[in-house]
Amino acid sequence: MVPTYNERANITKLVESLHQSVPKAQVLIVDDSSPDRTFEEVQKLKKRDKRLHLLLRDRSIKGRGWAGRDGFVKALSMGADIVIEMDGDLSHQPKFIPALTAPLLSLSCDVVIGSRYIPGGKDMDRPFHRQLTSNLAKLYLKSLLGLKVADPTSGFRAFTKNALRKIKVETLKARDPFTVSEILYRCFRAGLRVKEVPIEFVDRTKGTSKLELTTLLKYLGKALFLRLGLGFE
């Protein structure tokens, strides 16, 4: 399940890489009516690819969090036993998906996080200031929310269908990238077994990053609201 917004330059390569790494998987693209018309590229690919699916959302309700929420709900309705969530900018490499799903298939855990910060993991090519920002955010979230993982901001994750149902994924509130922390917080509160496996995170080479300083500050503020049990979107 891949939420997308202005990822036309990357989407074909991503779909091809997913099919190479996990040939039996169904690929669900959740696009927020991207101005660059990412969805048109997906529609073209769908004509000859029965494993590819598109959930096209209204741009008036766009948002990384709500796109992910709707994508999870759609994946469950399609009969998925395991749902892998990942970004559409090629920073999350499909070759690591088998490592994410293996612990779930062995029934040793309920949620698996692709981690940059455990032995074997790497945070590659990103500028120093962005790596520093990620590390500070990581320490803040772990301390405030009690997220007992090395990489609490990783958006490359795999869930069993029962885990998604247990956290009531259809009721997720965060509209923006804070959804990553909201979901993980719910997983720990629900007593789910969470495991990390190492991945190599590669900074995007095409398109532009959606992360801005104001977005990060809002993210950190929402963590406090979540911890206090206050509402947010």
Side-chain angles (χ1 to χ4, degrees), residues 4 11 16 31 45 63 66 69 78 85-86 88 90 96 112-113 120 145 148 151 159 179 186 188 191 214 222:
T4 57
I11 200 64
E16 291 174 350
D31 189 71
L45 295 171
W66 289 357
R69 178 194 63 193
M78 291 168 61
E85 179 186 27
M86 63 191 299
L90 301 175
F96 292 108
V112 180
I113 297 172
L145 299 179
K148 299 176 182 179
D151 195 351
F159 306 83
T179 189
R186 287 194 184 194
F188 279 107
T214 54
K222 287 180 179 180

PDB file of all heavy atoms in Angstrom, residues 4 11 16 31 45 63 66 69 78 85-86 88 90 96 112-113 120 145 148 151 159 179 186 188 191 214 222:
ATOM      1  N   THR A   4       0.536   8.192  -2.470  1.00  0.00           N
ATOM      2  CA  THR A   4       1.345   9.004  -3.379  1.00  0.00           C
ATOM      3  C   THR A   4       0.768  10.397  -3.538  1.00  0.00           C
ATOM      4  O   THR A   4      -0.443  10.602  -3.468  1.00  0.00           O
ATOM      5  CB  THR A   4       1.450   8.365  -4.774  1.00  0.00           C
ATOM      6  OG1 THR A   4       0.132   8.158  -5.308  1.00  0.00           O
ATOM      7  CG2 THR A   4       2.195   7.039  -4.719  1.00  0.00           C
ATOM      8  N   ILE A  11       6.817   6.411 -10.071  1.00  0.00           N
ATOM      9  CA  ILE A  11       5.842   5.347  -9.848  1.00  0.00           C
ATOM     10  C   ILE A  11       6.061   4.110 -10.715  1.00  0.00           C
ATOM     11  O   ILE A  11       5.891   2.987 -10.244  1.00  0.00           O
ATOM     12  CB  ILE A  11       4.395   5.900 -10.004  1.00  0.00           C
ATOM     13  CG1 ILE A  11       3.409   4.964  -9.311  1.00  0.00           C
ATOM     14  CG2 ILE A  11       4.050   6.144 -11.455  1.00  0.00           C
ATOM     15  CD1 ILE A  11       3.587   4.852  -7.829  1.00  0.00           C
ATOM     16  N   GLU A  16       7.496  -1.662 -10.869  1.00  0.00           N
ATOM     17  CA  GLU A  16       8.338  -2.714 -11.455  1.00  0.00           C
ATOM     18  C   GLU A  16       9.211  -3.376 -10.386  1.00  0.00           C
ATOM     19  O   GLU A  16       9.347  -4.609 -10.347  1.00  0.00           O
ATOM     20  CB  GLU A  16       9.213  -2.126 -12.560  1.00  0.00           C
ATOM     21  CG  GLU A  16       8.429  -1.701 -13.805  1.00  0.00           C
ATOM     22  CD  GLU A  16       9.295  -0.985 -14.821  1.00  0.00           C
ATOM     23  OE1 GLU A  16      10.461  -0.642 -14.473  1.00  0.00           O
ATOM     24  OE2 GLU A  16       8.828  -0.754 -15.953  1.00  0.00           O
ATOM     25  N   ASP A  31      -3.660   7.496  -4.366  1.00  0.00           N
ATOM     26  CA  ASP A  31      -3.225   8.803  -4.855  1.00  0.00           C
ATOM     27  C   ASP A  31      -4.245   9.895  -4.544  1.00  0.00           C
ATOM     28  O   ASP A  31      -5.445   9.723  -4.750  1.00  0.00           O
ATOM     29  CB  ASP A  31      -2.987   8.755  -6.369  1.00  0.00           C
ATOM     30  CG  ASP A  31      -2.324  10.019  -6.872  1.00  0.00           C
ATOM     31  OD1 ASP A  31      -1.134  10.214  -6.565  1.00  0.00           O
ATOM     32  OD2 ASP A  31      -2.998  10.822  -7.540  1.00  0.00           O
ATOM     33  N   LEU A  45      -0.606   1.790 -16.388  1.00  0.00           N
ATOM     34  CA  LEU A  45       0.037   0.535 -15.986  1.00  0.00           C
ATOM     35  C   LEU A  45      -0.996  -0.540 -15.670  1.00  0.00           C
ATOM     36  O   LEU A  45      -0.796  -1.721 -15.954  1.00  0.00           O
ATOM     37  CB  LEU A  45       0.931   0.780 -14.767  1.00  0.00           C
ATOM     38  CG  LEU A  45       2.142   1.693 -14.967  1.00  0.00           C
ATOM     39  CD1 LEU A  45       2.793   2.011 -13.622  1.00  0.00           C
ATOM     40  CD2 LEU A  45       3.150   1.058 -15.914  1.00  0.00           C
ATOM     41  N   GLY A  63      -4.047  14.309   2.147  1.00  0.00           N
ATOM     42  CA  GLY A  63      -3.251  14.231   3.374  1.00  0.00           C
ATOM     43  C   GLY A  63      -2.632  12.855   3.492  1.00  0.00           C
ATOM     44  O   GLY A  63      -3.299  11.843   3.266  1.00  0.00           O
ATOM     45  N   TRP A  66      -4.552  10.547   6.063  1.00  0.00           N
ATOM     46  CA  TRP A  66      -5.857  10.050   5.640  1.00  0.00           C
ATOM     47  C   TRP A  66      -5.736   9.118   4.440  1.00  0.00           C
ATOM     48  O   TRP A  66      -6.505   8.169   4.299  1.00  0.00           O
ATOM     49  CB  TRP A  66      -6.779  11.220   5.319  1.00  0.00           C
ATOM     50  CG  TRP A  66      -7.213  11.970   6.541  1.00  0.00           C
ATOM     51  CD1 TRP A  66      -6.904  11.669   7.850  1.00  0.00           C
ATOM     52  CD2 TRP A  66      -8.010  13.149   6.583  1.00  0.00           C
ATOM     53  NE1 TRP A  66      -7.470  12.590   8.696  1.00  0.00           N
ATOM     54  CE2 TRP A  66      -8.150  13.506   7.962  1.00  0.00           C
ATOM     55  CE3 TRP A  66      -8.608  13.938   5.612  1.00  0.00           C
ATOM     56  CZ2 TRP A  66      -8.879  14.622   8.359  1.00  0.00           C
ATOM     57  CZ3 TRP A  66      -9.334  15.055   6.012  1.00  0.00           C
ATOM     58  CH2 TRP A  66      -9.470  15.389   7.366  1.00  0.00           C
ATOM     59  N   ARG A  69      -4.737   5.834   5.956  1.00  0.00           N
ATOM     60  CA  ARG A  69      -5.894   5.231   6.620  1.00  0.00           C
ATOM     61  C   ARG A  69      -6.828   4.578   5.599  1.00  0.00           C
ATOM     62  O   ARG A  69      -7.228   3.417   5.750  1.00  0.00           O
ATOM     63  CB  ARG A  69      -6.647   6.314   7.393  1.00  0.00           C
ATOM     64  CG  ARG A  69      -7.919   5.837   8.092  1.00  0.00           C
ATOM     65  CD  ARG A  69      -8.772   7.011   8.522  1.00  0.00           C
ATOM     66  NE  ARG A  69      -9.229   7.790   7.367  1.00  0.00           N
ATOM     67  CZ  ARG A  69      -9.775   8.994   7.455  1.00  0.00           C
ATOM     68  NH1 ARG A  69      -9.921   9.573   8.635  1.00  0.00           N
ATOM     69  NH2 ARG A  69     -10.162   9.642   6.357  1.00  0.00           N
ATOM     70  N   MET A  78      -9.876  -5.884   0.463  1.00  0.00           N
ATOM     71  CA  MET A  78      -9.417  -6.712  -0.657  1.00  0.00           C
ATOM     72  C   MET A  78      -8.993  -8.101  -0.191  1.00  0.00           C
ATOM     73  O   MET A  78      -8.616  -8.937  -1.007  1.00  0.00           O
ATOM     74  CB  MET A  78      -8.242  -6.022  -1.364  1.00  0.00           C
ATOM     75  CG  MET A  78      -8.624  -4.750  -2.114  1.00  0.00           C
ATOM     76  SD  MET A  78      -7.171  -3.774  -2.629  1.00  0.00           S
ATOM     77  CE  MET A  78      -6.330  -4.946  -3.718  1.00  0.00           C
ATOM     78  N   GLU A  85       3.175  -0.956   4.279  1.00  0.00           N
ATOM     79  CA  GLU A  85       3.033   0.470   3.954  1.00  0.00           C
ATOM     80  C   GLU A  85       4.409   1.031   3.637  1.00  0.00           C
ATOM     81  O   GLU A  85       5.384   0.765   4.351  1.00  0.00           O
ATOM     82  CB  GLU A  85       2.433   1.208   5.150  1.00  0.00           C
ATOM     83  CG  GLU A  85       2.265   2.703   4.919  1.00  0.00           C
ATOM     84  CD  GLU A  85       1.795   3.430   6.172  1.00  0.00           C
ATOM     85  OE1 GLU A  85       2.071   2.950   7.286  1.00  0.00           O
ATOM     86  OE2 GLU A  85       1.165   4.487   6.024  1.00  0.00           O
ATOM     87  N   MET A  86       4.503   1.811   2.558  1.00  0.00           N
ATOM     88  CA  MET A  86       5.794   2.373   2.162  1.00  0.00           C
ATOM     89  C   MET A  86       5.582   3.656   1.363  1.00  0.00           C
ATOM     90  O   MET A  86       4.487   3.907   0.848  1.00  0.00           O
ATOM     91  CB  MET A  86       6.593   1.363   1.342  1.00  0.00           C
ATOM     92  CG  MET A  86       5.930   0.979   0.030  1.00  0.00           C
ATOM     93  SD  MET A  86       6.717  -0.439  -0.782  1.00  0.00           S
ATOM     94  CE  MET A  86       8.380   0.189  -1.052  1.00  0.00           C
ATOM     95  N   GLY A  88       6.316   6.369  -1.807  1.00  0.00           N
ATOM     96  CA  GLY A  88       6.365   6.185  -3.253  1.00  0.00           C
ATOM     97  C   GLY A  88       7.547   6.829  -3.936  1.00  0.00           C
ATOM     98  O   GLY A  88       7.588   6.911  -5.160  1.00  0.00           O
ATOM     99  N   LEU A  90      10.822   5.917  -3.755  1.00  0.00           N
ATOM    100  CA  LEU A  90      11.945   4.980  -3.916  1.00  0.00           C
ATOM    101  C   LEU A  90      12.950   5.043  -2.766  1.00  0.00           C
ATOM    102  O   LEU A  90      13.994   4.398  -2.820  1.00  0.00           O
ATOM    103  CB  LEU A  90      12.674   5.188  -5.254  1.00  0.00           C
ATOM    104  CG  LEU A  90      11.813   5.018  -6.507  1.00  0.00           C
ATOM    105  CD1 LEU A  90      12.614   5.364  -7.764  1.00  0.00           C
ATOM    106  CD2 LEU A  90      11.288   3.587  -6.604  1.00  0.00           C
ATOM    107  N   PHE A  96      13.675  -5.049   0.455  1.00  0.00           N
ATOM    108  CA  PHE A  96      13.642  -5.358   1.885  1.00  0.00           C
ATOM    109  C   PHE A  96      12.294  -5.916   2.344  1.00  0.00           C
ATOM    110  O   PHE A  96      12.156  -6.307   3.509  1.00  0.00           O
ATOM    111  CB  PHE A  96      13.986  -4.109   2.704  1.00  0.00           C
ATOM    112  CG  PHE A  96      15.413  -3.660   2.564  1.00  0.00           C
ATOM    113  CD1 PHE A  96      15.728  -2.515   1.853  1.00  0.00           C
ATOM    114  CD2 PHE A  96      16.448  -4.401   3.123  1.00  0.00           C
ATOM    115  CE1 PHE A  96      17.047  -2.107   1.703  1.00  0.00           C
ATOM    116  CE2 PHE A  96      17.764  -4.005   2.984  1.00  0.00           C
ATOM    117  CZ  PHE A  96      18.071  -2.851   2.269  1.00  0.00           C
ATOM    118  N   VAL A 112       6.045  -5.129  11.959  1.00  0.00           N
ATOM    119  CA  VAL A 112       7.486  -5.078  11.685  1.00  0.00           C
ATOM    120  C   VAL A 112       7.833  -3.711  11.104  1.00  0.00           C
ATOM    121  O   VAL A 112       7.173  -3.228  10.175  1.00  0.00           O
ATOM    122  CB  VAL A 112       7.922  -6.179  10.698  1.00  0.00           C
ATOM    123  CG1 VAL A 112       9.422  -6.086  10.432  1.00  0.00           C
ATOM    124  CG2 VAL A 112       7.572  -7.551  11.245  1.00  0.00           C
ATOM    125  N   ILE A 113       8.870  -3.094  11.658  1.00  0.00           N
ATOM    126  CA  ILE A 113       9.340  -1.782  11.224  1.00  0.00           C
ATOM    127  C   ILE A 113      10.655  -1.939  10.479  1.00  0.00           C
ATOM    128  O   ILE A 113      11.574  -2.607  10.960  1.00  0.00           O
ATOM    129  CB  ILE A 113       9.547  -0.850  12.426  1.00  0.00           C
ATOM    130  CG1 ILE A 113       8.223  -0.607  13.158  1.00  0.00           C
ATOM    131  CG2 ILE A 113      10.161   0.482  11.988  1.00  0.00           C
ATOM    132  CD1 ILE A 113       8.378   0.148  14.459  1.00  0.00           C
ATOM    133  N   GLY A 120      23.004  -3.036  10.911  1.00  0.00           N
ATOM    134  CA  GLY A 120      22.687  -3.433   9.544  1.00  0.00           C
ATOM    135  C   GLY A 120      21.870  -2.401   8.804  1.00  0.00           C
ATOM    136  O   GLY A 120      21.788  -2.412   7.578  1.00  0.00           O
ATOM    137  N   LEU A 145       6.324   9.459  24.060  1.00  0.00           N
ATOM    138  CA  LEU A 145       5.261   8.478  23.800  1.00  0.00           C
ATOM    139  C   LEU A 145       5.606   7.060  24.240  1.00  0.00           C
ATOM    140  O   LEU A 145       4.768   6.170  24.154  1.00  0.00           O
ATOM    141  CB  LEU A 145       4.914   8.470  22.299  1.00  0.00           C
ATOM    142  CG  LEU A 145       4.392   9.800  21.726  1.00  0.00           C
ATOM    143  CD1 LEU A 145       4.125   9.649  20.226  1.00  0.00           C
ATOM    144  CD2 LEU A 145       3.141  10.263  22.454  1.00  0.00           C
ATOM    145  N   LYS A 148       9.084   2.102  22.119  1.00  0.00           N
ATOM    146  CA  LYS A 148      10.297   1.342  22.422  1.00  0.00           C
ATOM    147  C   LYS A 148      10.871   0.680  21.176  1.00  0.00           C
ATOM    148  O   LYS A 148      10.993  -0.540  21.063  1.00  0.00           O
ATOM    149  CB  LYS A 148       9.981   0.303  23.498  1.00  0.00           C
ATOM    150  CG  LYS A 148       9.499   0.935  24.798  1.00  0.00           C
ATOM    151  CD  LYS A 148       9.105  -0.118  25.811  1.00  0.00           C
ATOM    152  CE  LYS A 148       8.583   0.529  27.086  1.00  0.00           C
ATOM    153  NZ  LYS A 148       8.152  -0.459  28.098  1.00  0.00           N
ATOM    154  N   ASP A 151      13.675   3.189  15.599  1.00  0.00           N
ATOM    155  CA  ASP A 151      13.321   4.076  14.490  1.00  0.00           C
ATOM    156  C   ASP A 151      11.819   4.353  14.483  1.00  0.00           C
ATOM    157  O   ASP A 151      11.076   3.835  13.644  1.00  0.00           O
ATOM    158  CB  ASP A 151      13.749   3.441  13.163  1.00  0.00           C
ATOM    159  CG  ASP A 151      13.750   4.429  12.004  1.00  0.00           C
ATOM    160  OD1 ASP A 151      13.262   5.563  12.189  1.00  0.00           O
ATOM    161  OD2 ASP A 151      14.237   4.063  10.921  1.00  0.00           O
ATOM    162  N   PHE A 159       2.168  -4.947   8.656  1.00  0.00           N
ATOM    163  CA  PHE A 159       1.179  -5.242   9.693  1.00  0.00           C
ATOM    164  C   PHE A 159       0.371  -6.480   9.323  1.00  0.00           C
ATOM    165  O   PHE A 159       0.033  -6.668   8.154  1.00  0.00           O
ATOM    166  CB  PHE A 159       0.182  -4.084   9.843  1.00  0.00           C
ATOM    167  CG  PHE A 159       0.784  -2.739  10.090  1.00  0.00           C
ATOM    168  CD1 PHE A 159       1.242  -1.961   9.027  1.00  0.00           C
ATOM    169  CD2 PHE A 159       0.878  -2.238  11.374  1.00  0.00           C
ATOM    170  CE1 PHE A 159       1.778  -0.702   9.243  1.00  0.00           C
ATOM    171  CE2 PHE A 159       1.418  -0.973  11.606  1.00  0.00           C
ATOM    172  CZ  PHE A 159       1.872  -0.205  10.538  1.00  0.00           C
ATOM    173  N   THR A 179       0.695  10.508  11.178  1.00  0.00           N
ATOM    174  CA  THR A 179       0.031   9.210  11.234  1.00  0.00           C
ATOM    175  C   THR A 179       1.005   8.086  11.581  1.00  0.00           C
ATOM    176  O   THR A 179       0.633   7.112  12.231  1.00  0.00           O
ATOM    177  CB  THR A 179      -0.666   8.902   9.890  1.00  0.00           C
ATOM    178  OG1 THR A 179      -1.468   7.735  10.031  1.00  0.00           O
ATOM    179  CG2 THR A 179       0.333   8.713   8.759  1.00  0.00           C
ATOM    180  N   ARG A 186      -0.590   3.578  18.972  1.00  0.00           N
ATOM    181  CA  ARG A 186      -1.730   2.676  19.152  1.00  0.00           C
ATOM    182  C   ARG A 186      -1.276   1.215  19.241  1.00  0.00           C
ATOM    183  O   ARG A 186      -1.834   0.425  20.016  1.00  0.00           O
ATOM    184  CB  ARG A 186      -2.721   2.827  17.991  1.00  0.00           C
ATOM    185  CG  ARG A 186      -3.535   4.102  18.015  1.00  0.00           C
ATOM    186  CD  ARG A 186      -4.709   4.009  17.055  1.00  0.00           C
ATOM    187  NE  ARG A 186      -5.473   5.247  16.982  1.00  0.00           N
ATOM    188  CZ  ARG A 186      -6.672   5.335  16.430  1.00  0.00           C
ATOM    189  NH1 ARG A 186      -7.232   4.256  15.876  1.00  0.00           N
ATOM    190  NH2 ARG A 186      -7.315   6.489  16.391  1.00  0.00           N
ATOM    191  N   PHE A 188       1.547   0.024  20.486  1.00  0.00           N
ATOM    192  CA  PHE A 188       2.082  -0.246  21.821  1.00  0.00           C
ATOM    193  C   PHE A 188       0.983  -0.224  22.875  1.00  0.00           C
ATOM    194  O   PHE A 188       0.984  -1.046  23.797  1.00  0.00           O
ATOM    195  CB  PHE A 188       3.191   0.753  22.158  1.00  0.00           C
ATOM    196  CG  PHE A 188       4.524   0.402  21.570  1.00  0.00           C
ATOM    197  CD1 PHE A 188       5.046   1.102  20.500  1.00  0.00           C
ATOM    198  CD2 PHE A 188       5.261  -0.662  22.073  1.00  0.00           C
ATOM    199  CE1 PHE A 188       6.280   0.762  19.946  1.00  0.00           C
ATOM    200  CE2 PHE A 188       6.491  -1.019  21.536  1.00  0.00           C
ATOM    201  CZ  PHE A 188       6.997  -0.303  20.466  1.00  0.00           C
ATOM    202  N   GLY A 191      -0.791  -3.461  23.030  1.00  0.00           N
ATOM    203  CA  GLY A 191      -0.016  -4.627  23.436  1.00  0.00           C
ATOM    204  C   GLY A 191       0.453  -5.490  22.282  1.00  0.00           C
ATOM    205  O   GLY A 191       0.772  -6.675  22.476  1.00  0.00           O
ATOM    206  N   THR A 214       7.992  23.619   9.132  1.00  0.00           N
ATOM    207  CA  THR A 214       6.696  23.824   9.792  1.00  0.00           C
ATOM    208  C   THR A 214       5.973  22.507  10.005  1.00  0.00           C
ATOM    209  O   THR A 214       5.317  22.303  11.028  1.00  0.00           O
ATOM    210  CB  THR A 214       5.811  24.768   8.957  1.00  0.00           C
ATOM    211  OG1 THR A 214       5.702  24.260   7.617  1.00  0.00           O
ATOM    212  CG2 THR A 214       6.389  26.168   8.919  1.00  0.00           C
ATOM    213  N   LYS A 222       1.952  17.647  17.844  1.00  0.00           N
ATOM    214  CA  LYS A 222       0.872  16.663  17.873  1.00  0.00           C
ATOM    215  C   LYS A 222       1.231  15.463  18.749  1.00  0.00           C
ATOM    216  O   LYS A 222       0.339  14.827  19.317  1.00  0.00           O
ATOM    217  CB  LYS A 222       0.539  16.213  16.451  1.00  0.00           C
ATOM    218  CG  LYS A 222      -0.207  17.281  15.666  1.00  0.00           C
ATOM    219  CD  LYS A 222      -0.527  16.838  14.251  1.00  0.00           C
ATOM    220  CE  LYS A 222      -1.286  17.928  13.513  1.00  0.00           C
ATOM    221  NZ  LYS A 222      -1.625  17.538  12.128  1.00  0.00           N
TER     222      LYS A 222
END
